[in-house]
Amino acid sequence: MLKRSFINILTVSTFLIGVSSFANTEKPKDTVVVAMGNTSEPEGGFDPAFGWGAGEHVHEPLIQSTLTTTTKDLKIAYDLATDIKSSDDGLQWIVTIRDDVFFTDGKPLTAEDVAFTYNKVKELSTVNDFTMLDKAEAKDNKTVVFYMNRPYSIWPYSMANVGIIPKHAYNENYGQNPIGSGRYVLHQWDKGQQVILKANPNYYGKAPNIENVVVLFMSEDAAFAAAKAKKVDVAYTTPSLSQENIKDYHVLAAHSVDNRTFNLPTTPKEGNIGNDVTSDLAIRQAINIGLDRERLIKYILKGHGTPAYSVADKMPWFNNETIVAYDPDKAREILDKAGWKMGKNGIREKDGIPAKFNLLYPANDSVRQALAAETSNQLKDLGIAVTFEGVGWDTAYSRAQSEPLIWGWGAHTPMEMYNIYHTAPNSTLATYSPYSNKEVDELMDKALATNDLPKSFELWKESQNKVSKDVPWIWLVNIDHLYWVKNGLKVADQKIHPHGHGWSIVNNIDEWSWSNN
């Protein structure tokens, strides 16, 4: 371990020297160096049309402005927008924007740029789901109208992820050298290594406290070594590495809705779909209350997490009634009453079927592997036998139609619920696991159709309550996103992070400060 860390420190030091004038211990105090994972580097560049600001690593685009943003309690606030209205039928959204915003090339940002952006994202993006949008159209310099294919009450949350690009300067190479109007400008990008952002001197909002942001892309071990060598100010880390000590650093834990969960197919086995054990509601109910989530957090996450009960924990649309208490005795009672009798080998049986299933996890994810192992260990005490197996994503999606799989979800939009639970188009079941409930579908459809956002939250809560009675998924934990932070750096309060241990930490880096500033 010492040898590996020493090699990593040398690698990091060699990498940093000469690459960035900021990434050293003598850097000015208007600069922050952040180490993120290699997968945080955007493959498609810094182009919203190719997923920058959306998808698994949802964040505020920084380089580009957005129409809306979200507050610390995940309510909608305005960025470029000054007013948002929807038609009574929910098929039009009329957005008025500021008239004092300029791109970094000096050209004004107008409604024409907004319309162009959304039409381009709809045309090109494989990350953003814009099937609900027909087209965007500028009515004048300050007004853009979104024409919808169907009512979509949560459109303001979609608008928080889409950075506005300039119509006059957009081409296929835009993502490599983006022009925006946001808080920062892309100053330098050394692919596979680092990104340097500089504060936009013509930003229309409050000037950032932090002038220079250096983002390094590196492995977990390399990020840890970089912190030990004092080459970074913030470094993402894991629960196991967070147990170490680094002089002059402390661990920051950002709460998240980045959950770990496994699906339970609710239909009997038929071909490659369904499962004869998990299709029994009693099995699903018993697992839900028979798993000790606090134990998972204590021993696997080293205390850095919270129990998960849904895909929307702590969101404005979360239903507190879906919280369940750990009760293994009640779980055994449910199984007994449902006819799952304990066999001589310690495995329950019903109608000749043993209470046994295989639990899949992504083969390269040690945390999910540990969760699968501990789930197996705990369910053994209930008389349910669980084997577990690491698999690649090339087969995981299809196998999850008949075998439970440990997934990761979590987003700042109720559509996460819709995508998981709603019956898929041209199908009788949901997309990721065999499940369907007509009442749930109707409630979610109604939530999308209303033009009253707070009212839609109540409908999402109601649908969530009905889903919880069916127990098609077992929500285990929400993982805290962990970072080594150099003492003296004040990281601004974080809103709940979505899925993906990446760019979310720097959403408000403009508000950070050094204690001796």
Side-chain angles (χ1 to χ4, degrees):
M1 179 65 182
L2 288 175
K3 182 178 180 182
R4 182 176 64 175
S5 295
F6 180 66
I7 292 172
N8 280 333
I9 289 171
L10 288 179
T11 302
V12 171
S13 299
T14 302
F15 165 67
L16 292 173
I17 294 173
V19 175
S20 166
S21 60
F22 307 119
N24 58 67
T25 56
E26 301 301 324
K27 64 184 177 299
K29 288 302 185 182
D30 60 357
T31 297
V32 171
V33 180
V34 181
M36 293 185 193
N38 293 314
T39 58
S40 292
E41 186 173 24
E43 290 184 12
F46 298 88
D47 185 345
F50 290 94
W52 168 243
E56 180 171 317
H57 301 282
V58 177
H59 55 273
E60 297 170 15
L62 292 176
I63 297 167
Q64 295 92 358
S65 304
T66 53
L67 291 176
T68 64
T69 185
T70 52
T71 62
K72 286 185 173 63
D73 58 357
L74 277 301
K75 302 292 178 62
I76 291 295
Y78 291 167
D79 184 2
L80 290 177
T82 60
D83 185 58
I84 298 175
K85 293 186 176 70
S86 64
S87 60
D88 290 341
D89 60 7
L91 293 177
Q92 290 184 31
W93 287 86
I94 302 95
V95 180
T96 306
I97 65 170
R98 304 171 62 125
D99 60 3
D100 60 347
V101 179
F102 293 83
F103 289 107
T104 53
D105 63 358
K107 300 291 180 65
L109 186 154
T110 71
E112 192 70 34
D113 297 298
V114 176
F116 173 80
T117 297
Y118 278 79
N119 290 329
K120 186 61 66 175
V121 173
K122 176 179 172 60
E123 173 192 352
L124 298 177
S125 180
T126 58
V127 178
N128 305 76
D129 176 15
F130 272 10
T131 54
M132 76 296 293
L133 176 67
D134 177 22
K135 64 178 180 179
E137 185 177 289
K139 291 300 182 184
D140 54 46
N141 280 347
K142 291 179 57 179
T143 309
V144 62
V145 179
F146 297 100
Y147 296 94
M148 314 302 285
N149 290 317
R150 61 181 187 274
Y152 197 70
S153 63
I154 55 177
W155 184 241
Y157 283 93
S158 297
M159 292 192 284
N161 296 329
V162 181
I164 303 305
I165 56 181
K167 180 179 180 181
H168 65 272
Y170 186 82
N171 57 43
E172 65 274 12
N173 297 315
Y174 171 83
Q176 313 306 307
N177 189 24
I179 294 171
S181 60
R183 290 163 283 174
Y184 289 91
V185 178
L186 179 63
H187 175 71
Q188 183 176 327
W189 181 14
D190 303 305
K191 293 186 178 179
Q193 297 180 341
Q194 70 170 357
V195 163
I196 300 175
L197 304 174
K198 280 182 163 288
N200 178 0
N202 298 313
Y203 181 55
Y204 50 90
K206 181 181 177 182
N209 295 332
I210 302 300
E211 177 76 18
N212 310 297
V213 180
V214 182
V215 176
L216 308 177
F217 304 111
M218 52 180 58
S219 69
E220 294 167 354
D221 283 349
F224 181 69
K228 290 185 72 174
K230 295 182 170 54
K231 296 295 184 180
V232 296
D233 303 311
V234 177
Y236 82 113
T237 193
T238 63
S240 57
L241 288 175
S242 73
Q243 303 303 294
E244 303 289 335
N245 289 308
I246 300 181
K247 185 180 179 181
D248 299 326
Y249 285 76
H250 63 277
V251 173
L252 169 69
H255 291 319
S256 82
V257 69
D258 190 351
N259 45 62
R260 297 298 177 266
T261 174
F262 58 90
N263 63 303
L264 292 176
T266 63
T267 60
K269 180 77 170 174
E270 186 174 344
N272 294 324
I273 296 176
N275 186 295
D276 288 335
V277 175
T278 64
S279 60
D280 191 309
L281 178 60
I283 289 284
R284 304 198 301 273
Q285 290 174 328
I287 292 173
N288 198 33
I289 64 173
L291 279 174
D292 187 349
R293 292 165 173 83
E294 295 291 352
R295 181 178 174 84
L296 298 176
I297 294 166
K298 180 178 180 180
Y299 292 105
I300 297 174
L301 303 184
K302 310 302 181 185
H304 294 300
T306 56
Y309 304 104
S310 81
V311 74
D313 290 0
K314 300 181 283 290
M315 299 289 102
W317 45 91
F318 173 58
N319 190 332
N320 288 308
E321 294 178 12
T322 61
I323 295 174
V324 296
Y326 171 54
D327 193 342
D329 291 336
K330 179 67 174 178
R332 294 185 186 94
E333 181 183 331
I334 289 172
L335 293 169
D336 288 339
K337 287 184 177 179
W340 289 96
K341 303 302 181 184
M342 189 67 76
K344 294 181 180 179
N345 59 357
I347 302 175
R348 292 177 182 269
E349 290 187 5
K350 179 180 179 179
D351 299 330
I353 299 174
K356 181 178 180 179
F357 61 84
N358 190 40
L359 179 58
L360 308 174
Y361 65 88
N364 61 348
D365 192 317
S366 60
V367 171
R368 297 194 205 190
Q369 180 182 13
L371 289 171
E374 179 59 20
T375 294
S376 173
N377 182 54
Q378 290 192 30
L379 293 185
K380 185 188 306 180
D381 292 339
L382 300 182
I384 300 174
V386 178
T387 55
F388 49 97
E389 176 189 357
V391 296
W393 284 109
D394 55 335
T395 62
Y397 285 101
S398 58
R399 289 185 64 179
Q401 294 296 316
S402 60
E403 300 171 86
L405 168 69
I406 295 188
W407 301 76
W409 299 98
H412 292 168
T413 170
M415 276 306 286
E416 197 83 332
M417 286 178 54
Y418 188 98
N419 294 334
I420 291 172
Y421 295 129
H422 197 283
T423 303
N426 305 314
S427 175
T428 59
L429 298 169
T431 300
Y432 299 103
S433 182
Y435 171 71
S436 184
N437 184 317
K438 183 179 178 181
E439 289 183 83
V440 171
D441 288 352
E442 289 174 349
L443 281 167
M444 289 194 284
D445 290 339
K446 191 175 179 181
L448 289 177
T450 180
N451 64 354
D452 183 332
L453 190 58
K455 181 180 178 181
S456 76
F457 291 167
E458 296 307 311
L459 292 165
W460 290 111
K461 290 178 182 180
E462 191 176 346
S463 67
Q464 189 180 134
N465 193 43
K466 287 190 177 295
V467 165
S468 70
K469 301 293 193 296
D470 296 334
V471 202
W473 291 70
I474 301 297
W475 302 94
L476 298 172
V477 294
N478 298 301
I479 295 179
D480 286 349
H481 290 169
L482 304 177
Y483 307 88
W484 288 105
V485 177
K486 185 175 288 184
N487 294 342
L489 176 61
K490 178 173 175 50
V491 174
D493 291 341
Q494 298 287 300
K495 65 179 95 173
I496 296 169
H497 284 197
H499 181 56
H501 196 169
W503 286 88
S504 290
I505 185 67
V506 297
N507 273 352
N508 59 6
I509 198 167
D510 55 306
E511 300 174 13
W512 298 11
S513 61
W514 290 95
S515 59
N516 58 347
N517 271 6

